[in-house]
Amino acid sequence: MDGERAPVMADVARVAGVSHQTVSRVLNDHPNVRQTTRERVLAAIRELGYRPNAAARTLVTRRTRTLGVISFNTTLYGPASMLYGIEQAARQDDYFVTVAALAALDRRSVLEAVDRLRDQAVEGIIVIAPQTSAVAALSTVPADVALVAVGCGTHASLRSVAVDNEAGAERATSYLLDLGHRTVHHLAGPRSWLDAQEREAGWRRALTRRGAPVAEPMVGGDWSARTGYERGREIAADPAVTAVFCANDHMALGLLRALQESGRRVPDDISVVGFDDIPEAEFFGPPLTTVRQDFDEVGRRALRALVDAIDHGPVAGGMPRLSIEPTLLVRSSAAGPRS
Amino acid sequence: MDGERAPVMADVARVAGVSHQTVSRVLNDHPNVRQTTRERVLAAIRELGYRPNAAARTLVTRRTRTLGVISFNTTLYGPASMLYGIEQAARQDDYFVTVAALAALDRRSVLEAVDRLRDQAVEGIIVIAPQTSAVAALSTVPADVALVAVGCGTHASLRSVAVDNEAGAERATSYLLDLGHRTVHHLAGPRSWLDAQEREAGWRRALTRRGAPVAEPMVGGDWSARTGYERGREIAADPAVTAVFCANDHMALGLLRALQESGRRVPDDISVVGFDDIPEAEFFGPPLTTVRQDFDEVGRRALRALVDAIDHGPVAGGMPRLSIEPTLLVRSSAAGPRS
DNA sequence: CGATGAATTGTTAGCGCGAACATTCGGGTG
DNA sequence: CACCCGAATGTTCGCGCTAACAATTCATCG
């Protein structure tokens, strides 16, 4: 494209009247460089618009300062937010982030993505794909890349960061119970996701602790508003249901819609609580009471865990499962049952 | 971490009983390698679990096969979807994608992000940040990286891919006019975004073409449901408004909420149309009539344009502005005015 | 004033790979 | 059988950088 090639270290050295090694020292902040020399070199760098060749540096230092993020569907609010949090944190630690979107949910895709990232010599990988199968697949990955899973249950042998889904679900369910409902139904997420399993477990625990009857959860949800709507039509047809805890906000939206179509009022006839606190939840009709997850923070912590693993080897401090406490956000989609 | 270092080409060569160059030829699919030799080499590669060192290859080929994506807020549905589309397409073309999230909207941030990506020697950059200021900043970037902007207006001198916002907005507005509304109000997006400008222009054009009165657009929106709600409260208070075209679906959601709170029925009292067709729009109360954008396709096309630019130099085929036609999706949030 | 050692700078040798050139091999041709 | 030509393979070099070591400078002190 452009005629002359980009300047290299030797060019800078020539202009500054030093050896290329001195330029290297300036670039790498070595202590023993005279102040005046340093300035001369920096001036030359600016003059030539020099930028170090990352490949050459990588070749000799064996470090790419690149991290990989594997994510199933970056379109969902959760994964997208985490990616954002990760990138911000990575920048501060001077790492690049390359992404690998998963084509499918199976073990093969996950391993392919890992492989792809390893080809690029990433120093570590964060996996945002909290399916049971994905976690299982991850355990077969050779230990020469640091790995951190996000929201991947308590599976040992893998460093992970997660929101305490169970606690959040329990809190939401208890809240509905406190409001006076005899029991709470659950619109569950996909069983293959750990988050869904944990939320269901939290819901179940709250119910059994209080001695409330545990109805079969509504299954078939895939996190989308559409499936929330589909299950919602069945829920709307069942007059026994007075309170529903949804596995996430999107499904809650679908449920709200189905309820409205059936003429069942929220919260007068049925109370609804979601999970995630997506930015839109506040503007649902009615505003959704939900459990807030700090995705950004999850992303940041995942990054920190990964950088730790890279810096101090894989076993430093065991395999901590960092857990973030979610909080209940009360809005108007839940109330006591009609007396 | 692990004791022995990863095998290099020379190791493979030794095991296969050939020179390292023959290994290189096998890896790069050179024609003149005997079939039996090729197989021997491949066997050795498998046996050792050899993977080529990307840095070394980059150093000599001067190609990183890495692309950068700059995005303002990957949390928004649009940017997230495009990123997804870009990554999928990039993988097929055998490129890696590294992301750079923008800290702020200003020119400085954009240039910093570009700089960061250039440090990593990306071969090209896709910018998803359709603010006027961002586009302006981009024009100062040296021509040694290929650049493609997504949704960045008709600014020349920059390759770009975009949805035809103006046509979409005009279509939506005309649709409301056809329904019998005397005029259509506009809940505008942030003026600093080209998409917002174009959608406003399309709305304005539809109105003037039909000779309908053009009311001042409601400004102050920032794409979020919250600002949609805030402006919505004002709209609800104005009985003259019978139809609103919102710059995006999220703001439409806020508007819907404000309308409901004020007891104004949709579509009976007021019709609402959005833009984007986010997956949730179908489940708003009521389901939102909106203009569908194919973000995935935008992402794919942006990638194709970028790869073209990389392969054939920056000027091949001029600076085409690829434009994608959006389509109107009729649902129940819009109807004719009360007679 | 010369010795001593620390601070500063220079020189050399790879890192792992692909391009360019050199060499060998194998199979027709006259 | 000598010759030639193309296919197959090997050798050498350098991409741009940092690490290790060598050489030089400089300040300090006896």
Side-chain angles (χ1 to χ4, degrees), chain A residues 88-134:
Chain A
Q88 303 255 310
R91 179 180 343 172
Q92 293 202 330
D93 284 6
D94 217 36
Y95 278 98
F96 296 106
V97 173
T98 108
V99 298
L102 244 38
L105 299 144
D106 52 34
R107 152 189 304 246
R108 246 265 307 286
S109 296
V110 177
L111 292 179
E112 266 173 24
V114 170
D115 226 55
R116 208 171 119 67
L117 255 17
R118 293 182 68 203
D119 280 346
Q120 207 199 1
V122 297
E123 295 183 27
I125 297 179
I126 295 180
V127 183
I128 309 179
Q131 287 90 25
T132 350
S133 58

Side-chain angles (χ1 to χ4, degrees), chain B residues 120-139:
Chain B
Q120 207 199 2
V122 297
E123 295 184 26
I125 297 178
I126 295 180
V127 184
I128 309 179
Q131 287 91 24
T132 349
S133 56
V135 185
L138 257 24
S139 59

Side-chain angles (χ1 to χ4, degrees), chain B residues 55-205:
Chain B
R57 174 178 283 175
T58 292
L59 189 56
V60 57
T61 61
R62 301 171 171 287
R63 300 211 53 179
T64 56
R65 300 215 68 85
T66 299
L67 267 23
V69 174
I70 296 177
S71 169
F72 165 52
N73 185 345
T74 35
T75 287
L76 294 176
Y77 176 71
S81 307
M82 290 192 242
L83 179 58
Y84 193 67
I86 289 168
E87 205 282 333
Q88 303 255 311
R91 179 179 342 173
Q92 293 203 330
D93 284 6
D94 217 35
Y95 278 98
F96 297 106
V97 173
T98 108
V99 298
L102 245 37
L105 297 147
D106 53 33
R107 151 188 304 247
R108 246 264 307 287
S109 296
V110 177
L111 293 179
E112 268 173 23
V114 170
D115 227 53
R116 207 171 120 67
L117 256 16
R118 293 181 68 203
D119 281 345
Q120 207 199 2
V122 297
E123 295 184 26
I125 297 178
I126 295 180
V127 184
I128 309 179
Q131 287 91 24
T132 349
S133 56
V135 185
L138 257 24
S139 59
T140 68
V141 172
D144 57 355
V145 255
L147 264 182
V148 169
V150 166
C152 281
T154 39
H155 279 255
S157 86
L158 199 59
R159 218 174 266 267
S160 69
V161 178
V163 165
D164 191 339
N165 284 299
E166 202 167 326
E170 187 173 359
R171 209 159 298 168
T173 309
S174 297
Y175 171 72
L176 286 164
L177 257 17
D178 288 342
L179 250 24
H181 293 275
R182 193 176 138 267
T183 187
V184 175
H185 287 72
H186 181 45
L187 176 43
R191 283 268 165 79
S192 59
W193 285 60
L194 284 157
D195 302 76
Q197 292 176 17
E198 292 173 4
R199 289 172 200 181
E200 183 175 328
W203 160 77
R204 204 177 289 275
R205 194 169 64 188

Side-chain angles (χ1 to χ4, degrees), chain A residues 170-184 206-207 210 212 242-245 266-274 287-290 328-339:
Chain A
E170 187 173 2
R171 209 160 298 169
T173 309
S174 297
Y175 171 72
L176 286 164
L177 256 19
D178 288 342
L179 248 25
H181 294 275
R182 192 177 138 268
T183 187
V184 175
L207 254 30
R210 304 293 212 82
T242 68
V244 181
F245 165 57
V266 177
D268 313 78
D269 300 329
I270 294 196
S271 289
V272 174
V273 173
L288 188 69
T289 292
T290 188
L328 184 72
L329 236 59
V330 173
R331 291 199 273 251
S332 57
S333 66
R338 271 181 306 183
S339 49

Side-chain angles (χ1 to χ4, degrees), chain B:
Chain B
M1 289 187 206
D2 45 348
E4 73 273 5
R5 265 208 333 295
V8 298
M9 204 174 261
D11 299 320
V12 175
R14 198 172 319 111
V15 170
V18 297
S19 74
H20 85 265
Q21 179 62 357
T22 297
V23 177
S24 170
R25 280 192 268 256
V26 169
L27 251 24
N28 294 289
D29 276 327
H30 277 243
N32 296 337
V33 178
R34 200 183 334 211
Q35 185 56 23
T36 59
T37 310
R38 180 185 308 276
E39 277 158 14
R40 216 146 22 96
V41 169
L42 290 175
I45 288 176
R46 268 194 306 278
E47 181 188 335
L48 297 178
Y50 166 75
R51 29 181 100 228
N53 180 310
R57 174 178 283 175
T58 292
L59 189 56
V60 57
T61 61
R62 301 171 171 287
R63 300 211 53 179
T64 56
R65 300 215 68 85
T66 299
L67 267 23
V69 174
I70 296 177
S71 169
F72 165 52
N73 185 345
T74 35
T75 287
L76 294 176
Y77 176 71
S81 307
M82 290 192 242
L83 179 58
Y84 193 67
I86 289 168
E87 205 282 333
Q88 303 255 311
R91 179 179 342 173
Q92 293 203 330
D93 284 6
D94 217 35
Y95 278 98
F96 297 106
V97 173
T98 108
V99 298
L102 245 37
L105 297 147
D106 53 33
R107 151 188 304 247
R108 246 264 307 287
S109 296
V110 177
L111 293 179
E112 268 173 23
V114 170
D115 227 53
R116 207 171 120 67
L117 256 16
R118 293 181 68 203
D119 281 345
Q120 207 199 2
V122 297
E123 295 184 26
I125 297 178
I126 295 180
V127 184
I128 309 179
Q131 287 91 24
T132 349
S133 56
V135 185
L138 257 24
S139 59
T140 68
V141 172
D144 57 355
V145 255
L147 264 182
V148 169
V150 166
C152 281
T154 39
H155 279 255
S157 86
L158 199 59
R159 218 174 266 267
S160 69
V161 178
V163 165
D164 191 339
N165 284 299
E166 202 167 326
E170 187 173 359
R171 209 159 298 168
T173 309
S174 297
Y175 171 72
L176 286 164
L177 257 17
D178 288 342
L179 250 24
H181 293 275
R182 193 176 138 267
T183 187
V184 175
H185 287 72
H186 181 45
L187 176 43
R191 283 268 165 79
S192 59
W193 285 60
L194 284 157
D195 302 76
Q197 292 176 17
E198 292 173 4
R199 289 172 200 181
E200 183 175 328
W203 160 77
R204 204 177 289 275
R205 194 169 64 188
L207 255 30
T208 50
R209 280 211 180 146
R210 304 291 213 82
V214 180
E216 212 35 46
M218 318 288 294
V219 297
D222 66 357
W223 300 129
S224 74
R226 177 171 309 283
T227 54
Y229 175 76
E230 288 163 6
R231 292 292 84 72
R233 294 187 63 97
E234 303 165 16
I235 291 173
D238 180 353
V241 179
T242 68
V244 181
F245 165 57
C246 298
N248 79 340
D249 288 353
H250 292 273
M251 294 202 298
L253 176 65
L255 169 60
L256 252 22
R257 175 83 211 122
L259 259 19
Q260 192 190 351
E261 279 185 10
S262 312
R264 301 202 63 184
R265 290 165 307 160
V266 178
D268 313 79
D269 300 331
I270 295 195
S271 289
V272 174
V273 173
F275 206 111
D276 278 354
D277 190 36
I278 62 174
E280 288 73 41
E282 190 178 346
F283 302 96
F284 286 180
L288 188 68
T289 293
T290 186
V291 179
R292 174 167 179 67
Q293 292 211 62
D294 192 344
F295 287 114
D296 240 55
E297 177 65 16
V298 173
R300 280 192 297 270
R301 289 216 204 169
L303 186 97
R304 206 177 317 147
L306 185 59
V307 171
D308 265 20
I310 291 171
D311 290 348
H312 311 305
V315 277
M319 291 291 173
R321 173 171 158 80
L322 302 169
S323 178
I324 297 174
E325 284 302 303
T327 56
L328 183 73
L329 236 59
V330 174
R331 291 199 272 251
S332 57
S333 66
R338 271 180 307 183
S339 48

